[in-house]
Amino acid sequence: MSPAGVPGRSVTVRVPAKVNLELLVGPLRPDGFHDLATVFQAVSLYDDVTVREADEWSVQVVGPEAHLVPTGQGNLALLAARRLAEATGVQERVSIAIRKDIPVAGGMAGGSADAAATLLACDALWGIGTPRYLLEQLAAELGSDVPFGLTGGTAIGSGRGDRLAPVLARGSYHWVFALSDEGLSTPTVYAECDRLRAGGREVAVPEPTTAMMTALRSGDAPALGKALTNDLQAAALSLQPRLREVLTVGMECGALGGIVSGSGPTVAFLVTDAEAALDLAVALTASGVAPNVKRATGPVHGAQVVAGPAVSRVD
Ligand code: C5P
């Protein structure tokens, strides 16, 4: 507990966004989730999550899109902190401050990243040395993409995307992300995918493709560009048809590959190098179809403590 004016300890964790290089959606399961075969890559767009000793649970978000993040009791970072406290018998509470650079409701797992960061930050703040398996289990309970926020790098996700296995991946990749000014809800996109598939053939439980694994193993960016696949893309385009134009313009401007990121609506373009990334960012902005773009590289580390436990003033 930290009465106002008394120094309170804090920990800051930096956590990356993700892009799905391959997202193959299998059948709808009885629990409402879909079996997936996906390949995640962590990219260098980061949120910084600071947890601080406090008398009450709270969360606060800063950044250009902060107003789009719900800060009530359902906030995923807040749920993560409370769940870790409950699972480990900790009586403390924290205030959570999120500096947000990952697009909100953009298909880049921003909320999941914040939950992963919060688990790690609270573990460090409380000094409880939570076993890795427990952190990963709690992460999976919080959401399908949360375990990958802890791991980062490049990984295969199976089950509902929460069961991770490492991938032999070479090279560093350059990305340009075209942001949308209107988010998409993940359940809505999955439901649209089911609707579009209704009456179609039965889908099998998917497996990662050889084309993707070979491209990653050899660090072959042009081959990776061709292998990018997202079974949710048709659903995202159906819900936001203007994304089609973003994809067309990006490919016409020299991207190696373009794909809707996760459940969208962010569109991810793979390019050859940093110069090509700058050129594409300028072209997309100038075309008017994607006024808001970000550049990043991947793979990068998962959630990492970058500051603390440190003592700072609580006012
Ligand atoms: O796990 P998460 O909370 O991110 O999932 C949000 C929603 O996305 C789920 O409630 C479900 O509707 C959909 N989903 C799915 N299959 C998955 C992952 C998510 O249908 N593998």
Side-chain angles (χ1 to χ4, degrees), residues 28 32-36 112 140 142-145 159-161 186-188 190:
L28 177 62
F33 288 86
H34 295 73
D35 276 313
L36 302 182
S112 302
L142 288 159
S144 309
D145 291 339
R160 52 187 178 90
T186 305
T188 307
Y190 274 99

Side-chain angles (χ1 to χ4, degrees), residues 13-15 47-49 51 112-122 146 149-150 303:
V13 167
R14 176 162 292 179
V15 66
D47 283 357
D48 283 342
V49 177
V51 299
S112 302
D114 297 342
T118 303
L119 287 175
L120 205 63
C122 287
V146 182
L150 289 174

